[in-house]
Amino acid sequence: ARPQGMRCAFCPHPVVTASRVASVACVNAHVRHAHPSIADELDAMTASLDQRVNDAVQAAHADLWQRLATPLQAMVERLRDPKAIFRDSLIGNLKEITTLIPMLNIQQDDNLAVLAHDVSRELADLKPQELRDDAKARDTAQKAAAALLAKMQAYMPQTPKE
């Protein structure tokens, strides 16, 4: 065992104890040196893990776009028909997702952030009863929702195929 404070032979990190090293990169170097026959297997496992993480991030990103598009599409459809009945949740669902997007936008997608902000600004604070009572307000809201949905379609990522 190396004395405490000695440097690792494979990296610049000091070894804390004989069994504990300072970083994953250092562990990787130790494994490769001690067991060169498993280096290819380690590379394959690392690549597989990286791919799975990337796929999960992409799927989460596409899902976030869809979570914004779904209530927006519902709004377009419900408000298009002047006689259609809708619940207050038509607006509440938009408000909820536009509040969540800044926290869930892990890829820092500027297009998603801007569209969520636009949806919030233009639609999330509408009063459902006003949309039921005022045909002009309802038509204006429907057209705004349709325009935002059309704009969104250009940016939405394709859902990864299973």
Side-chain angles (χ1 to χ4, degrees), residues 19 26 132 155:
S19 63
C26 187
R132 291 182 192 103
Y155 298 114

Side-chain angles (χ1 to χ4, degrees), residues 6-25:
M6 296 273 304
R7 296 236 177 247
C8 171
F10 307 106
C11 68
H13 304 301
V15 175
V16 178
T17 67
S19 63
R20 185 167 162 230
V21 293
S23 72
V24 172

